[in-house]
Amino acid sequence: MINMYVISGAVCLFILNSCSNEKTKSEALIEANKVHLESVAIHKNVEKEIQEKKKSATENKEPGFLARLDSIDNLVELWEEGIIEVPGFEHEHHDGEGEHHHEHKPVPQMTDESMLEYQRNTKAAIEQLQKNLKELND
């Protein structure tokens, strides 16, 4: 009987602790996650555009253009390998055809402000790659 109360108490503590975690996240960490999600959305669009342009370049037999696309694609893959998710936030998996998969790397020890700065830099990098991709059309 006592074990039942101990187990019930432990479950209640776990639930309370889980609920209170959302309230204890700093503004910097919340902003870092927002920036991370924006970066991931840009990345998804960049990858889609690269694949579409590669298909068109292959069909139109444009090897020079295809080589430049491959270079940007390689940089995008390197960007993807450097992604660090913001700890304490759930994320979605988008494992569709033609999309890359990511691995769950341990998050290095850093302050919430450092995580925000890292996410801002990551977003700036993918935005630059997006700009480079658009400039190929010009």
Side-chain angles (χ1 to χ4, degrees):
M1 186 72 164
I2 291 178
N3 283 340
M4 180 183 249
Y5 291 116
V6 170
I7 292 172
S8 297
V11 168
C12 287
L13 282 174
F14 175 75
I15 291 171
L16 286 173
N17 189 33
S18 297
C19 293
S20 67
N21 254 355
E22 285 295 317
K23 296 175 185 172
T24 61
K25 291 178 183 163
S26 72
E27 289 298 316
L29 210 56
I30 292 168
E31 179 67 16
N33 189 58
K34 179 181 171 238
V35 172
H36 171 74
L37 294 176
E38 291 168 354
S39 298
V40 170
I42 293 168
H43 170 256
K44 183 177 179 181
N45 290 333
V46 166
E47 281 206 327
K48 180 179 176 186
E49 188 173 348
I50 287 171
Q51 296 310 314
E52 289 170 358
K53 288 180 184 295
K54 277 185 171 183
K55 182 178 177 185
S56 175
T58 301
E59 289 171 356
N60 295 326
K61 298 182 180 167
E62 300 173 289
F65 188 67
L66 188 57
R68 290 183 296 208
L69 285 170
D70 283 338
S71 293
I72 292 176
D73 194 24
N74 289 336
L75 292 172
V76 170
E77 286 182 29
L78 288 172
W79 177 89
E80 187 177 9
E81 290 173 13
I83 288 177
I84 297 175
E85 293 179 341
V86 180
F89 291 87
E90 290 191 27
H91 66 279
E92 297 179 22
H93 286 228
H94 301 282
D95 298 333
E97 183 179 331
E99 292 187 39
H100 300 282
H101 306 284
H102 68 275
E103 61 182 84
H104 295 269
K105 296 175 275 222
V107 178
Q109 290 289 66
M110 61 175 70
T111 65
D112 293 355
E113 290 75 21
S114 295
M115 177 59 77
L116 176 56
E117 186 65 23
Y118 180 85
Q119 295 301 334
R120 285 179 176 156
N121 290 333
T122 302
K123 182 179 178 188
I126 194 65
E127 286 173 332
Q128 183 60 49
L129 291 170
Q130 183 180 43
K131 181 181 173 189
N132 293 349
L133 182 59
K134 287 183 189 225
E135 287 174 353
L136 282 180
N137 292 335
D138 299 338

Coordinates of all heavy atoms in Angstrom, one line a residue, residues 41-92:
A41 N 13.6 26.3 -41.5 CA 12.6 26.6 -42.5 C 13.3 27.1 -43.8 O 13.0 26.7 -44.9 CB 11.6 27.6 -42.1
I42 N 14.3 28.0 -43.6 CA 15.1 28.5 -44.7 C 15.9 27.4 -45.4 O 15.9 27.2 -46.6 CB 16.1 29.6 -44.3 CG1 15.3 30.9 -43.8 CG2 17.1 30.0 -45.4 CD1 16.1 31.9 -43.1
H43 N 16.5 26.5 -44.5 CA 17.2 25.4 -45.0 C 16.4 24.5 -45.9 O 16.8 24.0 -47.0 CB 17.8 24.6 -43.8 CG 18.4 23.3 -44.2 ND1 17.7 22.1 -43.9 CD2 19.5 23.0 -44.8 CE1 18.5 21.1 -44.4 NE2 19.6 21.6 -44.9
K44 N 15.2 24.2 -45.4 CA 14.2 23.4 -46.2 C 14.0 24.0 -47.6 O 14.0 23.3 -48.6 CB 12.9 23.2 -45.4 CG 11.9 22.3 -46.1 CD 10.7 22.1 -45.2 CE 9.7 21.2 -45.9 NZ 8.5 21.0 -45.1
N45 N 13.7 25.3 -47.6 CA 13.4 25.9 -48.9 C 14.7 25.9 -49.8 O 14.6 25.7 -51.0 CB 13.0 27.4 -48.7 CG 11.6 27.5 -48.1 OD1 10.8 26.6 -48.2 ND2 11.4 28.5 -47.3
V46 N 15.9 26.1 -49.2 CA 17.1 26.1 -50.0 C 17.3 24.8 -50.6 O 17.6 24.6 -51.8 CB 18.3 26.6 -49.1 CG1 19.6 26.3 -49.8 CG2 18.2 28.1 -48.8
E47 N 17.1 23.7 -49.8 CA 17.3 22.4 -50.4 C 16.4 22.1 -51.5 O 16.7 21.5 -52.5 CB 17.2 21.3 -49.2 CG 18.4 21.2 -48.4 CD 18.6 19.9 -47.8 OE1 17.6 19.2 -47.4 OE2 19.7 19.4 -47.6
K48 N 15.1 22.5 -51.3 CA 14.1 22.2 -52.3 C 14.5 23.0 -53.6 O 14.4 22.4 -54.7 CB 12.7 22.7 -51.8 CG 11.6 22.5 -52.8 CD 10.3 23.0 -52.3 CE 9.2 22.9 -53.3 NZ 7.9 23.4 -52.9
E49 N 14.9 24.2 -53.5 CA 15.3 25.0 -54.7 C 16.5 24.4 -55.4 O 16.6 24.3 -56.6 CB 15.6 26.4 -54.3 CG 15.8 27.4 -55.4 CD 15.9 28.8 -55.0 OE1 15.6 29.2 -53.9 OE2 16.3 29.6 -55.9
I50 N 17.5 23.9 -54.6 CA 18.7 23.3 -55.2 C 18.3 22.1 -56.0 O 18.7 21.9 -57.1 CB 19.7 22.9 -54.1 CG1 20.4 24.2 -53.6 CG2 20.8 22.0 -54.6 CD1 21.3 24.0 -52.4
Q51 N 17.4 21.2 -55.4 CA 17.0 20.0 -56.1 C 16.3 20.3 -57.4 O 16.5 19.7 -58.4 CB 16.2 19.1 -55.2 CG 16.9 18.6 -54.0 CD 18.3 17.9 -54.4 OE1 18.4 17.2 -55.3 NE2 19.3 18.3 -53.6
E52 N 15.4 21.4 -57.4 CA 14.7 21.8 -58.6 C 15.6 22.3 -59.6 O 15.5 22.0 -60.8 CB 13.6 22.8 -58.2 CG 12.5 22.3 -57.4 CD 11.5 23.4 -56.9 OE1 11.8 24.6 -57.1 OE2 10.5 23.0 -56.2
K53 N 16.6 23.1 -59.2 CA 17.5 23.7 -60.2 C 18.5 22.6 -60.7 O 18.8 22.7 -61.9 CB 18.3 24.8 -59.5 CG 17.5 26.1 -59.2 CD 18.4 27.1 -58.6 CE 17.6 28.4 -58.2 NZ 17.1 29.1 -59.3
K54 N 18.8 21.7 -59.9 CA 19.7 20.6 -60.4 C 19.0 19.7 -61.5 O 19.5 19.4 -62.5 CB 20.1 19.6 -59.3 CG 21.3 20.1 -58.5 CD 21.7 19.1 -57.4 CE 23.0 19.4 -56.8 NZ 23.4 18.3 -55.8
K55 N 17.7 19.5 -61.2 CA 16.9 18.7 -62.2 C 16.8 19.5 -63.5 O 17.1 18.9 -64.6 CB 15.5 18.5 -61.6 CG 14.6 17.6 -62.5 CD 13.3 17.4 -61.9 CE 12.4 16.6 -62.9 NZ 11.1 16.4 -62.4
S56 N 16.6 20.8 -63.4 CA 16.5 21.6 -64.6 C 17.8 21.7 -65.4 O 17.9 21.6 -66.6 CB 16.0 23.0 -64.3 OG 16.0 23.8 -65.4
A57 N 18.9 21.9 -64.6 CA 20.2 22.0 -65.2 C 20.6 20.7 -65.9 O 21.3 20.7 -66.9 CB 21.2 22.3 -64.2
T58 N 20.2 19.5 -65.3 CA 20.5 18.2 -65.9 C 19.7 18.0 -67.2 O 20.3 17.6 -68.2 CB 20.2 17.1 -64.9 OG1 21.0 17.3 -63.7 CG2 20.5 15.7 -65.5
E59 N 18.4 18.4 -67.1 CA 17.6 18.2 -68.3 C 18.0 19.2 -69.4 O 18.0 18.8 -70.6 CB 16.1 18.5 -68.0 CG 15.5 17.5 -67.1 CD 14.1 17.9 -66.6 OE1 13.7 19.0 -66.8 OE2 13.5 17.1 -65.9
N60 N 18.5 20.4 -69.1 CA 18.9 21.4 -70.1 C 20.4 21.2 -70.5 O 20.9 22.1 -71.2 CB 18.6 22.8 -69.6 CG 17.1 23.0 -69.5 OD1 16.3 22.5 -70.3 ND2 16.7 23.8 -68.5
K61 N 21.1 20.2 -69.9 CA 22.5 20.0 -70.2 C 23.3 21.2 -70.0 O 24.0 21.7 -70.9 CB 22.7 19.4 -71.6 CG 21.9 18.1 -71.7 CD 22.1 17.5 -73.1 CE 21.4 16.2 -73.1 NZ 21.2 15.6 -74.3
E62 N 23.3 21.7 -68.7 CA 24.1 22.9 -68.3 C 25.1 22.4 -67.2 O 24.9 22.6 -66.1 CB 23.2 23.9 -67.7 CG 22.1 24.4 -68.7 CD 21.1 25.4 -68.0 OE1 20.3 24.9 -67.2 OE2 21.2 26.6 -68.3
P63 N 26.2 21.8 -67.7 CA 27.2 21.3 -66.7 C 27.8 22.3 -65.8 O 28.1 22.1 -64.6 CB 28.2 20.5 -67.6 CG 28.1 21.1 -68.9 CD 26.6 21.6 -69.0
G64 N 28.1 23.5 -66.4 CA 28.7 24.6 -65.6 C 27.8 25.0 -64.4 O 28.2 25.2 -63.3
F65 N 26.5 25.2 -64.8 CA 25.5 25.6 -63.8 C 25.3 24.5 -62.7 O 25.2 24.8 -61.5 CB 24.2 25.9 -64.5 CG 23.2 26.6 -63.6 CD1 23.4 27.8 -63.0 CD2 22.0 25.9 -63.3 CE1 22.4 28.4 -62.2 CE2 21.0 26.4 -62.5 CZ 21.2 27.7 -61.9
L66 N 25.3 23.3 -63.2 CA 25.2 22.1 -62.3 C 26.4 22.1 -61.3 O 26.2 21.8 -60.1 CB 25.1 20.8 -63.1 CG 24.7 19.6 -62.3 CD1 23.4 19.8 -61.6 CD2 24.6 18.4 -63.3
A67 N 27.6 22.4 -61.8 CA 28.7 22.3 -60.9 C 28.6 23.4 -59.8 O 29.0 23.2 -58.7 CB 30.0 22.6 -61.7
R68 N 28.1 24.6 -60.2 CA 27.9 25.7 -59.2 C 26.9 25.3 -58.2 O 27.0 25.5 -57.0 CB 27.6 27.0 -59.9 CG 28.8 27.5 -60.6 CD 28.5 28.9 -61.2 NE 27.4 28.6 -62.2 CZ 27.2 29.3 -63.3 NH1 28.0 30.4 -63.6 NH2 26.3 29.0 -64.2
L69 N 25.8 24.6 -58.6 CA 24.8 24.1 -57.7 C 25.3 23.1 -56.8 O 25.0 23.1 -55.6 CB 23.6 23.5 -58.5 CG 22.7 24.5 -59.2 CD1 21.7 23.8 -60.1 CD2 21.9 25.3 -58.1
D70 N 26.2 22.2 -57.3 CA 26.8 21.2 -56.4 C 27.7 21.8 -55.4 O 27.7 21.4 -54.2 CB 27.7 20.2 -57.3 CG 26.8 19.2 -58.0 OD1 25.7 19.0 -57.6 OD2 27.3 18.7 -59.0
S71 N 28.4 22.9 -55.7 CA 29.2 23.6 -54.7 C 28.3 24.2 -53.6 O 28.6 24.0 -52.4 CB 30.0 24.7 -55.4 OG 30.9 24.2 -56.3
I72 N 27.2 24.8 -54.0 CA 26.3 25.4 -52.9 C 25.7 24.3 -52.1 O 25.6 24.3 -50.9 CB 25.3 26.3 -53.6 CG1 25.9 27.5 -54.1 CG2 24.2 26.6 -52.6 CD1 25.0 28.5 -54.9
D73 N 25.3 23.2 -52.8 CA 24.7 22.0 -52.1 C 25.7 21.5 -51.1 O 25.3 21.1 -50.0 CB 24.3 21.0 -53.1 CG 23.4 19.9 -52.5 OD1 22.7 20.2 -51.5 OD2 23.4 18.8 -53.1
N74 N 27.0 21.4 -51.4 CA 28.0 20.9 -50.5 C 28.1 21.8 -49.3 O 28.2 21.3 -48.1 CB 29.4 20.8 -51.1 CG 29.4 19.6 -52.1 OD1 28.6 18.7 -52.0 ND2 30.3 19.7 -53.1
L75 N 28.0 23.1 -49.5 CA 28.1 24.1 -48.4 C 26.8 23.9 -47.5 O 26.9 24.0 -46.3 CB 28.2 25.5 -48.9 CG 29.6 25.8 -49.6 CD1 29.5 27.2 -50.2 CD2 30.7 25.7 -48.5
V76 N 25.7 23.7 -48.1 CA 24.5 23.5 -47.3 C 24.6 22.2 -46.5 O 24.2 22.2 -45.3 CB 23.2 23.4 -48.3 CG1 22.0 23.0 -47.5 CG2 23.0 24.8 -48.9
E77 N 25.2 21.2 -47.0 CA 25.4 20.0 -46.2 C 26.3 20.2 -45.0 O 26.0 19.7 -43.9 CB 25.9 18.8 -47.1 CG 24.8 18.3 -48.0 CD 25.3 17.1 -48.9 OE1 26.2 16.4 -48.4 OE2 24.8 16.9 -50.0
L78 N 27.3 21.0 -45.3 CA 28.2 21.4 -44.2 C 27.5 22.2 -43.1 O 27.7 22.0 -41.9 CB 29.5 22.1 -44.7 CG 30.5 21.3 -45.5 CD1 31.5 22.2 -46.1 CD2 31.1 20.3 -44.6
W79 N 26.7 23.1 -43.6 CA 25.8 23.9 -42.6 C 25.0 23.0 -41.8 O 24.9 23.1 -40.6 CB 25.0 24.9 -43.4 CG 24.1 25.7 -42.5 CD1 24.3 26.9 -41.9 CD2 22.7 25.3 -42.1 NE1 23.3 27.3 -41.2 CE2 22.3 26.3 -41.3 CE3 21.9 24.3 -42.4 CZ2 21.0 26.3 -40.7 CZ3 20.6 24.2 -41.8 CH2 20.2 25.3 -41.0
E80 N 24.4 22.0 -42.5 CA 23.5 21.1 -41.8 C 24.2 20.3 -40.7 O 23.6 20.0 -39.6 CB 22.8 20.2 -42.8 CG 21.7 19.3 -42.3 CD 21.1 18.4 -43.3 OE1 21.5 18.4 -44.5 OE2 20.1 17.8 -43.0
E81 N 25.4 19.9 -41.0 CA 26.2 19.1 -40.0 C 26.5 19.9 -38.8 O 26.7 19.4 -37.7 CB 27.5 18.6 -40.7 CG 27.3 17.5 -41.7 CD 28.5 17.2 -42.5 OE1 29.6 17.5 -42.0 OE2 28.4 16.5 -43.5
G82 N 26.5 21.2 -38.9 CA 26.9 22.1 -37.8 C 25.7 22.5 -36.9 O 25.8 23.2 -35.9
I83 N 24.5 22.1 -37.3 CA 23.3 22.5 -36.6 C 23.3 21.9 -35.1 O 23.6 20.8 -34.9 CB 22.0 21.9 -37.3 CG1 21.7 22.7 -38.5 CG2 20.8 22.1 -36.3 CD1 20.5 22.1 -39.3
I84 N 23.0 22.8 -34.2 CA 22.8 22.4 -32.8 C 21.4 22.8 -32.4 O 21.1 24.0 -32.6 CB 23.8 23.1 -31.9 CG1 25.3 22.6 -32.2 CG2 23.5 22.7 -30.4 CD1 26.3 23.4 -31.5
E85 N 20.6 21.9 -32.0 CA 19.3 22.2 -31.6 C 19.3 22.8 -30.2 O 20.2 22.6 -29.4 CB 18.4 20.9 -31.6 CG 18.2 20.4 -33.0 CD 17.4 19.1 -33.0 OE1 17.2 18.5 -31.9 OE2 16.8 18.8 -34.1
V86 N 18.3 23.6 -29.9 CA 18.2 24.3 -28.6 C 17.7 23.3 -27.6 O 16.6 22.7 -27.9 CB 17.3 25.5 -28.7 CG1 17.2 26.3 -27.4 CG2 17.8 26.5 -29.8
P87 N 18.4 23.1 -26.5 CA 18.0 22.1 -25.6 C 16.7 22.5 -24.9 O 16.4 23.7 -24.7 CB 19.1 22.1 -24.6 CG 19.8 23.4 -24.7 CD 19.6 23.8 -26.1
G88 N 15.8 21.5 -24.6 CA 14.6 21.7 -23.9 C 13.4 22.0 -24.8 O 12.3 22.3 -24.3
F89 N 13.6 22.0 -26.1 CA 12.5 22.3 -27.0 C 12.3 21.1 -28.0 O 13.3 20.5 -28.4 CB 12.8 23.5 -27.9 CG 12.8 24.8 -27.1 CD1 13.9 25.2 -26.5 CD2 11.6 25.5 -27.1 CE1 13.9 26.4 -25.8 CE2 11.6 26.7 -26.3 CZ 12.7 27.2 -25.7
E90 N 11.1 20.7 -28.2 CA 10.8 19.6 -29.1 C 11.0 20.1 -30.5 O 11.0 21.3 -30.8 CB 9.3 19.2 -29.0 CG 9.1 18.5 -27.6 CD 7.7 17.8 -27.6 OE1 7.2 17.4 -28.7 OE2 7.2 17.6 -26.5
H91 N 11.3 19.1 -31.4 CA 11.5 19.5 -32.8 C 10.8 18.5 -33.6 O 10.4 17.4 -33.2 CB 13.0 19.5 -33.1 CG 13.7 18.1 -33.0 ND1 14.1 17.6 -31.8 CD2 13.9 17.2 -33.9 CE1 14.6 16.4 -32.0 NE2 14.5 16.1 -33.3
E92 N 10.7 18.8 -34.9 CA 10.0 17.9 -35.9 C 11.0 17.3 -36.8 O 12.0 17.8 -37.0 CB 9.0 18.7 -36.7 CG 7.9 19.4 -35.9 CD 7.0 20.2 -36.8 OE1 7.0 19.9 -38.1 OE2 6.3 21.1 -36.3

